Amino acid sequence: MGEFKVHRIRFFNHMPSAIRVMAFNSHTERLVVARADGAVEIFNFADNYYQEKVIPGRDGKAVEALCWVGRRLFSAGLDGEITEYDLENLRPRNSMEAYGGPIWTISSNSQGTLLAAGCEDGTVKMFEVLEDRIQFQRNLSRQKGRIISLSWHPTGSQIAAGMLDMIKIFDAETGHATHRLLVERGLQRTSNSQEVVVWSVAFLSDHTIISGDSAGKVQIWDGITGTLVRTHLLTKWDVLVLAVSPDESSVIAGTSEGTVVQFQFISSTVDQQDKQWVRTRTFKSHSHDVRALVHTDTAVVSGGVDTQLVVRPLLDKVEKNTQESAMRKIIFPHRNLVSCAKKAGLLLFQFSDHLELWRLGESDGNGKPGDRLPVKRNPEKLIQLKRKKLSQPCDVFRLVGSKLISLRIFPERIPAPLVPLSRLQVSKLPKELNSVHQLSFSSDSSKLFASSILSSVIVASVKELECKYLHTFKPPSGEFHSRQPVHLLSPSEDGNWLATANTADLNVSLQLHCSVPVCGSCPTAVSIHPFSCSLVSVHADQQIFEFSLKQKEFTAWSRKLQKQGMHPLWLQRDAPITRVTFNPNNPTHILLHDTSMFCIVDQILPLPEEKTRFYNQSVLQSLSLGERLRNSHAFKVYRNFQNLLCVDLMEDHSLVVVERPLLDIVSQLPAPVQQKKFAT
Amino acid sequence: MVEYGDIRVVYRGGSKINFRKPVISNDSRFLLCASGESVKVFSSVTEECVHELRGHTGQVTGVLLRPSNHLQVYSCSTDGTVRLWDFTDGILVRTYVVGYPVYSIYASLNHKEVVFIVTPVQSDKRTELFQLVAVNLPQTPDQLVEARDLSAVLSDVSSNPSTIAFGRGGEYLASVNNLKMEIYFFKKNKSYSFSLREYTKNGGKNTFTCIACHPKDDCVATGHDDGKIRLWRNFKQKKEYTYSTLHWHHSAVSSLCFTPEGTNLLSGGVESVLVQWRYNQENQKDFLPRLGAAITHVTVSPDGALFSTSHSDNKITIIQSCVKVSAVIQGLVKGENVTTGLLVDPRSKALVLNGRPGHLQFYSLQRDKLLFHLDIVQQEYIHEAGLEQFEVVRAAFDASGLWLATVEERKQKSAELELNLKLWSFDEQTQSFVLNTTVSAPHEARITAMCFSQAADSQTTTLVSASRDGHFKAWQLGLPAHTDDEGPSWSCDFVGAYHGLVPRCCCFSADGSLLAVGFQEVVTVWNPTSWELLTTLSQPPGDVRNLCFGQLSCSKYLLGSNNKKMVCCWNLLTCSLEWSTSMDVSLLLVDSRSENMAAFCCQDGSTDLFVFKPSEPRPLFSQKAVCSGRVIHAVFTPREVMLESSEESSQWLNRSQLYFLTEFMDLLTFSTKAEEEKLMASSKQLVIDDTVAMTPFYLLLGKHRHEHLGNEESAERTPLPQSSVAIKELLQTPAHVLPATSFLCSMFAKSLLISVTETREENKHVDEEMESEKEEEDSDEEVETKISRPEQEAKGVQGGESTAPTLTKTQVRELRRVRKQDLSWITGLLDS
């Protein structure tokens, strides 16, 4: 059959950054993850763990601690500043120097009125959370040695601080230390002279304090008397992080060995009330240090040096064999890092600190389906653009025609050049394009669309080497429209339409044409069909919609699909669709892909029924012809390629598949801690 | 004694002691374990078997301390009875007839007079389904009680006793079977079940193997096939249960046990390491390694002082406080294959066969005890699947027991056969065998037979070994080659062959003057002194399988059996066939104490036995279907005490006993009814003193001590009433009547002194006086009646008595006292 010639690309050295710290907001069900390069990502747990927002990091601004106060997000780092983020415009709102040296930890009380920061100089600084900023209130009594970890008592009257060799309990009213809990130094690995670091403390409402330290112990203390209740030795290495479940019946601890150990508060006998903390389960889902942990009501969320975010549901809290009970690993970002110049056969890869432009290889061989064609010309790297220091490119898009234009746009006020292939620099860039986070070119390269602050979209004309500001699309005002940033921009092929999407809305504009109704779930990919002028959108809950722009209603196919419902196996996939493309040769085909498969949706073929088996193509190929016809359905799923970052169709009808094998990522990670394995 | 002559096949000795979990008594002094059809009571200090509780007629499948009386023990058996024993005295207290075969037994203090047993489900006999049943034991004084009050508790349980356990004082019961765990709460009458997936993602098998319940907490520990131990908690909820996993064992956990306080968890498996986990501190664990063989059961004494582990090589190890092995009770080791056959050590009369890998074991049948292991291979045994090791394949003793010859071989794939012939001499000083000569590669192929010259009186003995390479070799003890060498060593004296045929068996005549070697179809007879071929006998067609010379009066006969179902008897004087008969004899052996020979014939899956004399046409004894399956080895062992049986059919058992080993590795023997009665009688006579465990040493010394003790006791007890009388008087008399205190003091002190003879005499006096007073009263009456008689008469009477020396009243009293005095202790003294 041989429908496509496939470019299988593995030279995109995308390397995710290690997860440093996480915080979970149980009201909004948003998880915020800070990575080692300073980037902050927000995942929506209510919406199928979709990565809604990414705030790029800045050099030298590593995030060491994160804290939600209501819907506001604060971070602190070793640069000694406390930063509040503007989640609507995806940038830091304001920063405040704490004047206490590097900040190791911040923590807010449960009322959300005070923010405590643990500093290098041994002070716990209290900040008052005001409407638009935070204000320094006072210092708690100063200690010797740095404050590594902090935990408020739920009533807010006391605060526990983990330090070197000890835990201090402060009275939040007076600011005096009331207890000093000495943590004994490790006996096994380290010599007695080495200090033990209390990496994490948790203050429970019954005045129990749980601590995890660098000697590999989890210790349970009585906070009223200041005595040690029990010691659990978990590992020879460090216990890096602790997390408490909202109902305080379970505590998890992450270790350097990559294990997560659960402790549960269980009564020792069935009928009696006296409960104790018992070590129960051990999860091993990481190969490296577990640096960040979150215990939600139903799941354990962990992340660490091996860059993966793992959501492991607790089987005693969720229904078995449902979508909720499946373990999820989020490895790749839910965005496009690759853009293709369809005519020129060029690929642009986006890294966190540079861009790479590659030309595809060529082959003239003709082979049978499944054959490997000889490469006539190897792919080559044309340009590598490094960004300037202290700046971060947000996004770069679209290569059109034979002319290459690469655009760098900086969130700060440094004008970025446009670099055409002729290496001429465009000096001027309209200042409206100073702070944008999404870019897109129209298909004839004449217009540049950029999503900017206040969920507006800026249109600029690009002529040769000039870039001129045209106008700004303001979002429709009104209470039904939110101020969330636009994260998807999709112009149509004929240049008449532009589809934009933020987490709540889906708009089609060029003089706002209409708003497409969205039911709950955030769109993950949108695209306008080049011929029929219908908008195809795929959402985080794996639903697919087709909206006719002319009739301003959902098409018949979309209604049929909604009526019949998606197949359960399709809904159970855990990665969102990140790109929608169309096949110009076959207008009824829609190409979709996520990280584990790509799919061609054929709108002619019958939709799969819920009861029937959902065959993927490799299974269908092995069936006999009659069987194949009987079992074929609209969703042609191919799983030949794994860990996909991009699937796109080029002008010459060849398919570009960008893979990033997990082994390559693992091989670039630092070596894990030494562990004795049985029979080695 | 009347002889019944009833002969039956019995298990005697060598039975498994690792079949079920042993039980340690409350005071940790005794260890009880099921052993064949009886329960054995071992002393945990001396390793000696103190009692054997006999009575069951089927295999004993469980032993259990009675929860309400720690001096009694329940045992259950496949014969459908549960018996209650007093194990300190070895008395059967009661027999409960259940009526169904019982596979294991459980009880708890919470359930008075109820035991829980596992029986097969009756409805379906083909599938092996078992259920747990509660049995109400009726409280009647009868010896034999029918216990028919059964109620099913759990269905679908495993017959393996380690899969069911009582939790927290009997509040609940936990049972595992395959991949399912069920916990049954008695109070609520509700059960919760939990199941696991068959395989984990890493390929480990999740099948449950054993279970243990924490004595205080609600925590259940389960062992699994992949070596994991799971600690289940919070299992009263269907969903919110939780477990933690401990993983040290690399293959299946075979036994788990909590210590009585619940502070530690013990586990064991094939690694032969006892692992002690701290409860709630599972990272800390202690190991007791090198226990010798795979652990099958782990138990703890009720006071927690002793642990015991049963091992796969039929051994029970008693461990003190998880650090020190304090005693080892070793049963007969049964490997997969007894290649050496059964032998009898002429010196110790012990049964000798393969034991541990590379060892020969010496097993005393009379005492049912393993004497020692002799290391033959003298190489470290490496425990690894599929690794070929040196194995002892042949062994032979000479008639006096001075020499032992062993053959070890190792056959590796793609490598040549490695053979070693070793000769061991008995060292009188160390009382053990010392290696004398090692011959490496004595033959080029596997050795088929080996025997010593039987003549006990001759100075030099000859060893003959026959091999598949077509030769037989004679080995003799040569003179020392060098004067400064330690001693003489063995060397090859003669190599014989016959037309390139393969010798299969060889045999010396009783006086050592003839050697018969069977070369396939031909029997050759050689002169061992000159090594000339005397004659060949090849009457019947077929390969010769066994060869035997007759003994004593029948020594002129040579018997042989072949694979064409023929037994032939040649007369060596005439060199002609005396008789032959058609029998498929698998094993032919001769009793060295008599003319008798025994032949085991294999027919239709069972084995028949014939005992006969070569000179007589009629068999002395024959029994059809001795056992199912083939008999692979048998031996006549001489008796220590001759039986005096007059009945003809059992006469052959008078001088020796016949032991045989079936293909299922059961060691069986024949026993007459008289013998059994004797055994039962002797076991009933034994009455054990509480203080010391019953050992032979104790039996030797303890008797006198016991009597001595008895005397002392009586001496000590007597002063008590007397002194109490004195004190009572002293206390009850009003103070103003009492004499001076100084006077009383000495009297009081005196009353407290113990004087053996005096007190006894005084005591006797008191009795005597009482009696005499009565008599006096009697005599007074007499006197009164005699008053009417004339004085003379009375005098006459006196005169008549005067011929004999007249006895005064006191004298008579004295005489009576002497007569009554117990002088048995003197006999005791005289005896000693």
Side-chain angles (χ1 to χ4, degrees), chain B residues 266-562:
Chain B
L266 305 172
S267 69
V270 78
E271 300 88 357
S272 60
V273 179
L274 181 69
V275 188
Q276 187 179 19
W277 310 81
R278 297 273 145 71
Y279 181 68
N280 273 340
Q281 296 268 307
E282 280 83 9
N283 271 47
Q284 297 173 27
K285 46 187 179 279
D286 295 326
F287 303 104
L288 185 65
R290 291 181 283 282
L291 288 175
I295 295 174
T296 54
H297 303 290
V298 179
T299 40
V300 186
S301 65
D303 58 357
L306 291 184
F307 303 158
S308 90
T309 53
S310 303
H311 298 268
S312 59
D313 64 347
N314 209 8
K315 176 174 82 177
I316 296 175
T317 308
I318 296 169
I319 296 156
Q320 274 179 346
S321 55
C322 200
V323 284
K324 207 179 94 204
V325 173
S326 68
V328 176
I329 299 165
Q330 175 79 62
L332 184 67
V333 182
K334 290 169 182 170
E336 300 98 64
N337 199 3
V338 176
T339 46
T340 58
L342 300 173
L343 298 168
V344 173
D345 178 19
R347 207 170 264 275
S348 62
K349 306 286 183 287
L351 193 68
V352 178
L353 66 158
N354 286 121
R356 275 185 226 150
H359 288 66
L360 276 184
Q361 60 179 333
F362 287 68
Y363 191 83
S364 167
L365 289 163
Q366 278 75 32
R367 291 166 56 210
D368 193 11
K369 192 171 189 239
L370 190 85
L371 299 178
F372 65 99
H373 266 111
L374 181 65
D375 189 357
I376 301 294
V377 172
Q378 297 184 332
Q379 278 183 4
E380 189 68 35
Y381 182 73
I382 302 160
H383 202 95
E384 191 185 317
L387 191 68
E388 293 290 332
Q389 314 265 359
F390 267 110
E391 285 288 340
V392 185
V393 290
R394 292 274 179 276
F397 282 98
D398 79 332
S400 58
L402 261 179
W403 291 97
L404 165 68
T406 60
V407 178
E408 66 210 41
E409 65 172 42
R410 174 163 68 173
K411 178 76 185 140
Q412 282 173 316
K413 287 169 216 151
S414 75
E416 279 191 4
L417 182 75
E418 288 174 77
L419 269 181
N420 279 327
L421 172 68
K422 282 181 178 167
L423 285 132
W424 308 73
S425 67
F426 189 78
D427 187 16
E428 290 283 349
Q429 278 185 330
T430 58
Q431 289 288 310
S432 72
F433 285 92
V434 179
L435 184 62
N436 179 279
T437 311
T438 305
V439 185
S440 55
H443 284 276
E444 275 139 37
R446 196 161 278 177
I447 289 180
T448 53
M450 189 166 70
C451 66
F452 272 100
S453 164
Q454 289 297 310
D457 50 339
S458 66
Q459 286 297 313
T460 58
T461 61
T462 311
L463 173 74
V464 171
S465 62
S467 160
R468 275 200 195 163
D469 60 1
H471 298 289
F472 73 90
K473 288 187 181 177
W475 309 83
Q476 263 182 340
L477 191 63
L479 291 169
H482 306 286
T483 45
D484 55 348
D485 248 356
E486 300 102 31
S489 65
W490 290 74
S491 57
C492 183
D493 187 45
F494 176 72
V495 181
Y498 185 82
H499 292 296
L501 296 174
V502 176
R504 297 262 178 218
C505 51
C506 58
C507 180
F508 271 100
S509 67
D511 56 353
S513 62
L514 287 176
L515 168 71
V517 183
F519 283 96
Q520 288 179 353
E521 297 178 4
V522 186
V523 177
T524 57
V525 182
W526 305 72
N527 182 352
T529 48
S530 62
W531 294 114
E532 58 179 319
L533 181 62
L534 295 176
T535 182
T536 59
L537 308 161
S538 58
Q539 207 76 15
D543 285 3
V544 179
R545 221 188 254 167
N546 295 299
L547 274 179
C548 273
F549 278 97
Q551 295 277 334
L552 304 176
S553 67
C554 301
S555 56
K556 60 184 174 182
Y557 297 109
L558 172 65
L559 279 93
S561 70
N562 64 17

Side-chain angles (χ1 to χ4, degrees), chain A residues 231 233 264 268 270 279-280, chain B residues 218 233 236 242 244 281 283:
Chain A
T231 300
L233 188 68
Q264 279 177 287
S268 58
V270 164
R279 176 183 173 170
T280 54
Chain B
D218 281 343
R233 289 189 178 87
K236 203 147 188 195
T242 177
S244 52
Q281 296 268 307
N283 271 47

Side-chain angles (χ1 to χ4, degrees), chain A residues 230-235 262 264 266-272 276-282 312 315-321 327 678, chain B residues 168 171-172 185 187-188 195 197 201 216-219 233-236 239-245 248 250 279-284:
Chain A
R230 162 150 262 160
T231 300
H232 291 279
L233 188 68
L234 295 194
T235 167
Q262 189 187 16
Q264 279 177 287
I266 299 175
S267 58
S268 58
T269 55
V270 164
D271 306 315
Q272 284 163 11
Q276 55 184 354
W277 287 97
V278 181
R279 176 183 173 170
T280 54
R281 276 169 282 203
T282 303
R312 184 188 280 272
L315 290 178
D316 52 345
K317 298 285 186 353
V318 297
E319 284 296 321
K320 268 181 194 167
N321 300 324
M327 193 178 91
F678 179 66
Chain B
R168 194 160 54 88
E171 295 252 317
Y172 59 90
F185 286 88
K187 259 188 197 161
K188 288 189 173 172
S195 53
R197 237 175 270 154
K201 259 177 271 166
K216 305 255 165 80
D217 288 357
D218 281 343
C219 172
R233 289 189 178 87
N234 222 11
F235 39 73
K236 203 147 188 195
K239 234 179 122 190
E240 300 226 326
Y241 68 89
T242 177
Y243 60 79
S244 52
T245 310
W248 181 86
H250 66 72
Y279 181 68
N280 273 340
Q281 296 268 307
E282 280 83 9
N283 271 47
Q284 297 173 27

Side-chain angles (χ1 to χ4, degrees), chain A residues 424-497:
Chain A
L424 289 172
Q425 277 206 330
V426 174
S427 54
K428 271 280 174 70
L429 203 64
K431 67 171 188 285
E432 284 81 6
L433 287 177
N434 277 343
S435 178
V436 297
H437 37 260
Q438 202 77 11
L439 282 175
S440 185
F441 276 103
S442 66
S443 58
D444 57 355
S445 315
S446 63
K447 281 186 186 133
L448 174 68
F449 305 103
S451 77
S452 182
I453 52 170
L454 300 170
S455 60
S456 60
V457 176
I458 295 165
V459 184
S461 72
V462 181
K463 199 171 274 180
E464 287 301 309
L465 297 171
E466 262 178 282
C467 185
K468 214 181 278 174
Y469 168 75
L470 291 180
H471 63 276
T472 304
F473 291 129
K474 286 265 160 40
S477 54
E479 53 192 285
F480 298 111
H481 299 282
S482 69
R483 295 272 163 207
Q484 295 297 326
V486 170
H487 73 285
L488 291 174
L489 281 174
S490 176
S492 70
E493 200 80 0
D494 53 8
N496 291 336
W497 310 96

Side-chain angles (χ1 to χ4, degrees), chain A residues 537-554:
Chain A
S537 63
V538 187
H539 296 254
D541 58 357
Q542 312 291 1
Q543 299 289 346
I544 302 171
F545 294 95
E546 193 185 25
F547 186 81
S548 168
L549 294 178
K550 288 180 179 148
Q551 275 92 36
K552 288 194 185 179
E553 60 180 17
F554 288 110

Side-chain angles (χ1 to χ4, degrees), chain B residues 620-658:
Chain B
L620 294 170
F621 172 80
S622 70
Q623 185 167 0
K624 291 262 175 195
V626 170
C627 64
S628 62
R630 237 154 41 80
V631 170
I632 49 172
H633 296 290
V635 72
F636 276 105
T637 58
R639 278 186 196 275
E640 276 178 344
V641 185
M642 302 269 182
L643 280 185
E644 291 157 9
S645 166
S646 56
E647 188 118 337
E648 203 183 342
S649 65
S650 58
Q651 252 173 5
W652 62 280
L653 283 171
N654 281 3
R655 285 160 179 270
S656 42
Q657 273 177 296
L658 178 62

